[in-house]
Amino acid sequence: MSVLDIFPESSSQPVAPPAGAPEPAPRLSQPRLSRLSHLRQLEAESIHILREVASEFERPVMLYSIGKDSSVMLRLAQKAFYPAPIPFPLLHIDTGFKFREMIEFRDNMAREVGAELLVWRNEPAIAAGTNPIALDTKRCCGLLKTQALLDGLRHYNFDAAFGGARRDEEKSRAKERIYSFRDGAGQWDPKNQRPELWNLYNARIHPGESIRVFPLSNWTEMDVWQYIHEEKIPVVDLYFAKERPMYVRGESLLPIEQSFVALPGEKPRMVKSRLRSLGCSPCTGAIRSDAGTIPEIIAELLSFRSSERANRVIDHDQEGSMELKKREGYF
Amino acid sequence: MTTLAENKFSIDDFMAAERAKDLLRFSTAGSVDDGKSTLIGRLLYDTQSVYEDQVRSIEGKGTTAPGQIDFALLTDGLRAEREQGITIDVAYRYFSTARRKFIIADTPGHEQYTRNMATGSSTADATIVLIDASKGVLPQSRRHAYIASLLRVRYVLVAVNKMDLAGYSEERFGAIKADFSALLDQIAADTGNPVEARFIPVSALAGDNVVHRSEAMPWYSGPSLLELLESLPPAQQSNSAPLRFAVQRVLRPDASFRGFAGQVASGTVRPGDAITALPSGRTARIARIVTFDGDLEQAHAPLSVTLVLDREIDISRGDLIVSSDAPATVATEIEASLVWMDAQELAPNRRYLLKHASHVVPAVVARIHHRVPLESQSDPTAQSLAHTEATTLGMNQIGVVSLRLLRPIAVDRYGDNRLTGAFILIDQASNSTVAAGMIRAAVALPQSQAAQLLQTAITGPVTSRERFVRWGHRGGVLALTGSIAIADQVERVLFQEGMVTLRLETPAGEGAHFREEAASLDQTAHCAAQAGLLVLIVTASDERSLIVHAADHQATLSTEDPQRISTEIHALLTEAGMLAQPWRPDYEI
């Protein structure tokens, strides 16, 4: 018997309210049932989605971005097809600006899980020296992420691509379907999305079109960390607080990587810090933190008053910038 | 930044409390000005579910008085929505309290967004219907309640909003409650799905009875909206319901393992249980319930697991594993409620793809019984819901139809099972999801016939049954004499409905050569009909009508209107036995 937490009926009573609390609301009729914790419900839903896609598409792929959401998605894929191997490859879109730890972690992970790992880079743009300082972040992302993603998907002829995006991340993501239809150019039309009812997904596409699939749509940042804790899923060391050399600009902590361009006279300082969300090194700020373990990260998350993407430069370029990027084919 | 030591945070205590939380999904609907976005913004804000940077990003914007936060901006995501100040699509929100985690499906409420309301309701355990206290019950509230009942959302929480503008009047609240209760009874009688309703007087703007109980209405002693949401029993399928498990994928990593991966839609499964695979009717017992985390002693809805059986039986994706004691109904003819969701209206007799559980089968709408008019102009306080006759269903319209499936599937009534009683229709040409369906009744196909039909020979010549399953009709010859324009329409209508046709023109002329040609044509037609094609032998004349012969039956068409041609041709094909399903008792080879 596994440790799946299926609660017997007896434990489904609500916790007694503290003294002085208003009296509890009257209860409606109670059917006989046992309860599944919210994480188990989310897990079951995600596994259902992974299996549907693997069965209904000819060439699915999992976009693996090395972050915590990708780590959870990868574990769910292992669970969905156990004892068989994961029936699709992983694809990493490498901008050349990823942290060194991320690349090492990626290669180890793929080996351990036994999945086929594909890496795609927009080599012409990288060779031309594309970077977010010379260009603006919007154009840099457009070339190194969006263009690379579209080229990679086209090169391998994938018709469905899993992404680890969650609806709680950003306003325009809140409206995205689990099966997000993309036209022949990989673009999203938010006003013309297919209705999505029950757990019935429409997998029909014409040649050249594709579907982006988001199995973690209904997970929150807190759910992801709780699941990582419960399932003991390995994540990149950058998520854990350590003394790291940082350039400090106002409230921003900028990690040092090979690509960093310091201002004249700027010197790095050792700061106890961690990354809350992993992106490209020039565009991902660190946060001051003492959280060196997953329980400490969860405790820290409970105290946070800012959303996780607040440290991502790319989302704030302009009002609705994520939506614009997504329309162009970004994840 | 928090100092961890000070808080004495215990991860084990925290996780134990989190594990005790379940998930409740609820939907909301409302129009521009009835305060729905404000209500949700208020729920999120007052439960500390929004971050400071999100609040900062909307401060000083919006339409509320200076210094006040326009909560609606927290939830309106797309640029077009912010530009137009309206909500155009379903948005999902997440928040949690000490007791429970919530997923909100936030949907626009205008008439043209009925499809979005249905989408949000399809997975909801509860729905919040907002009524403006100053306006009372509007057609929109009626439409919302109707959809909630049709989609079997179990709890309807009626938030009578803007009580501050109605002087916090108990009489006003009581009158709305009485009106709406009468309406709910009427709706339940029409859909057959009773709902449990709760009424709460609120002011989303002032925060009365949303999260905290209000002091402004001492006459109301009930819970706040959030307290009610926290205390609703989770409306999951009861574990004592019969087992339903749609096979999504067969896992065979090596010769020694063969497992059926899927999600328990309802009921409980244990090793040793007797199961039946439908529609084939093959039986076996459960040997193991396999998961990545080890074998389970039992699994119930909604767990995703892999079942291993005690013997080798032929099961593939799309099959429904059910408890042998209480199997589902295997059918090719079903009656269902449809919510039409596409700009292109319903075409009777045209081939659509029906997705149900984990399989897709071709289906046609054979008959539209009636439409339920929920338009704004109809009187929201009418005594009963009128039905109107309809020849089609347009975007956002709801009706009851009969469908004919080209392959048998195992179904339940939607009233008995929300997952195995639901389906969507997909347009084969555009690939759009055009309708949501809820099964009301199914004509049970005797198991012997279903089994016979499903005997799929892998070798030998292709049979007429197999052709029927592929094409939806038997082979036959139609003789078309008269107007060439109408004949063209007949061919086009049949082709668009997915039938396999062959068109032959009769030769004009006389003499031996002509007779030879005519005989050869006859022979070709016969061969093609035997191969399952519908052969159209067209003889053009100057007539303004077209006479169609099929076997011993005949019809005269005097219109080029595709819809009328479709109706009449289908009547003729039915009379001539060309649509007779090979698994029906009246089928003749």
Side-chain angles (χ1 to χ4, degrees), chain B residues 310-331:
Chain B
D310 67 343
R311 70 202 77 161
E312 281 264 329
I313 60 172
D314 185 18
I315 294 181
S316 52
R317 173 173 165 85
D319 286 356
L320 193 67
I321 290 179
V322 302
S323 118
S324 294
D325 300 337
T329 305
V330 175

Side-chain angles (χ1 to χ4, degrees), chain B residues 58-386:
Chain B
I58 59 160
E59 264 170 354
K61 299 176 186 170
T63 54
T64 48
Q68 276 190 329
I69 295 171
D70 186 350
F71 289 110
L73 291 179
L74 281 175
T75 58
D76 287 342
L78 301 175
R79 286 168 73 88
E81 294 176 337
R82 282 194 301 279
E83 283 156 13
Q84 298 166 32
I86 56 160
T87 311
I88 56 174
D89 208 334
V90 189
Y92 295 86
R93 325 266 167 215
Y94 305 82
F95 74 102
S96 65
T97 66
R99 282 214 194 146
R100 185 168 258 181
K101 299 236 174 186
F102 295 95
I103 300 180
I104 315 175
D106 178 11
T107 69
H110 324 266
E111 196 174 309
Q112 63 268 40
Y113 299 123
T114 293
R115 65 175 201 161
N116 291 334
M117 259 193 245
T119 301
S121 302
S122 70
T123 50
D125 304 315
T127 192
I128 299 175
V129 174
L130 268 158
I131 295 181
D132 185 328
S134 59
K135 292 181 185 157
V137 179
L138 295 175
Q140 176 184 298
S141 346
R142 184 177 75 152
R143 183 166 46 250
H144 185 180
Y146 188 87
I147 292 165
S149 169
L150 187 67
L151 276 285
R152 263 186 80 213
V153 179
R154 190 165 164 168
Y155 307 108
V156 170
L157 311 182
V158 186
V160 181
N161 192 22
K162 304 193 185 176
M163 287 299 291
D164 49 335
L165 301 182
Y168 294 112
S169 157
E170 183 177 8
E171 286 71 33
R172 186 75 198 128
F173 177 71
I176 290 173
K177 186 172 170 177
D179 280 357
F180 202 73
S181 299
L183 181 65
L184 283 175
D185 290 343
Q186 205 187 85
I187 287 172
D190 194 74
T191 62
N193 301 325
V195 292
E196 289 189 44
R198 284 314 190 86
F199 295 83
I200 314 109
V202 304
S203 164
L205 203 61
D208 293 303
N209 284 335
V210 178
V211 169
H212 309 289
R213 294 191 190 187
S214 167
E215 315 219 317
M217 289 168 278
W219 47 266
Y220 174 78
S221 59
S224 71
L225 184 62
L226 182 67
E227 285 173 322
L228 198 53
L229 285 168
E230 283 187 308
S231 63
L232 290 176
Q236 295 170 14
Q237 295 280 353
S238 156
N239 294 328
S240 51
L243 172 70
R244 298 290 183 260
F245 180 94
V247 175
Q248 291 183 273
R249 191 177 177 85
V250 181
L251 300 176
R252 13 183 21 161
D254 54 55
S256 68
F257 186 94
R258 184 173 148 87
F260 305 105
Q263 187 173 14
V264 182
S266 67
T268 306
V269 59
R270 293 181 193 80
D273 284 356
I275 60 95
T276 302
L278 294 177
S280 74
R282 295 184 182 92
T283 58
R285 285 185 184 276
I286 302 290
R288 295 172 60 196
I289 303 170
V290 175
T291 77
F292 180 84
D293 303 293
D295 280 15
L296 302 183
E297 284 169 10
Q298 62 167 18
H300 55 72
L303 278 181
S304 286
V305 296
T306 296
L307 301 178
V308 175
L309 304 180
D310 67 343
R311 70 202 77 161
E312 281 264 329
I313 60 172
D314 185 18
I315 294 181
S316 52
R317 173 173 165 85
D319 286 356
L320 193 67
I321 290 179
V322 302
S323 118
S324 294
D325 300 337
T329 305
V330 175
T332 52
E333 288 165 73
I334 59 178
E335 185 183 298
S337 297
L338 281 191
V339 179
W340 199 258
M341 303 184 145
D342 201 57
Q344 199 179 341
E345 59 189 24
L346 164 64
N349 297 318
R350 184 173 160 205
R351 193 91 50 90
Y352 291 100
L353 294 176
L354 180 149
K355 183 166 186 187
H356 166 264
S358 58
H359 51 184
V360 177
V361 295
V364 296
V365 175
R367 199 179 147 209
I368 303 174
H369 298 280
H370 64 256
R371 191 168 75 75
V372 184
L374 295 171
E375 291 79 7
S376 305
Q377 58 269 33
S378 53
D379 177 7
T381 54
Q383 284 306 300
S384 69
L385 286 165

Side-chain angles (χ1 to χ4, degrees), chain A residues 172-192:
Chain A
S172 71
R173 289 219 202 271
K175 308 222 160 181
E176 184 127 25
R177 302 290 190 261
I178 289 173
Y179 276 38
S180 177
F181 176 82
R182 302 302 168 103
D183 64 15
Q187 296 180 342
W188 183 56
D189 179 2
K191 279 188 170 179
N192 192 21

Side-chain angles (χ1 to χ4, degrees), chain A residues 34 175 218 226 230 305, chain B residues 18-19 52 81 94 239:
Chain A
S34 35
K175 308 222 160 181
N218 286 324
Q226 287 186 9
E230 290 225 317
R305 300 302 305 136
Chain B
E18 288 291 297
R19 272 194 292 268
E52 281 167 2
E81 294 176 337
Y94 305 82
N239 294 328

Side-chain angles (χ1 to χ4, degrees), chain A residues 45-119:
Chain A
E45 174 185 279
S46 301
I47 290 176
H48 174 264
I49 295 163
L50 287 156
R51 287 169 168 174
E52 277 300 282
V53 173
S55 303
E56 288 205 308
F57 288 88
E58 279 174 33
R59 290 184 60 79
V61 66
M62 178 171 280
L63 271 292
Y64 179 69
S65 75
I66 317 170
K68 60 186 189 306
D69 305 303
S70 281
S71 298
V72 166
M73 192 162 62
L74 187 57
R75 172 60 57 88
L76 290 167
Q78 285 181 282
K79 291 196 176 198
F81 305 102
Y82 176 86
I86 297 174
F88 39 75
L90 310 179
L91 174 64
H92 179 228
I93 300 301
D94 185 6
T95 60
F97 285 114
K98 298 297 171 186
F99 293 88
R100 278 178 298 261
E101 289 98 318
M102 290 171 72
I103 301 300
E104 284 165 26
F105 182 90
R106 174 194 76 189
D107 296 341
N108 287 334
M109 201 64 205
R111 230 186 342 267
E112 256 172 56
V113 173
E116 181 191 355
L117 174 70
L118 307 171
V119 177

Side-chain angles (χ1 to χ4, degrees), chain B residues 518-531:
Chain B
S520 136
L521 182 98
D522 251 15
Q523 210 173 358
T524 307
H526 200 70
C527 281
Q530 269 195 329

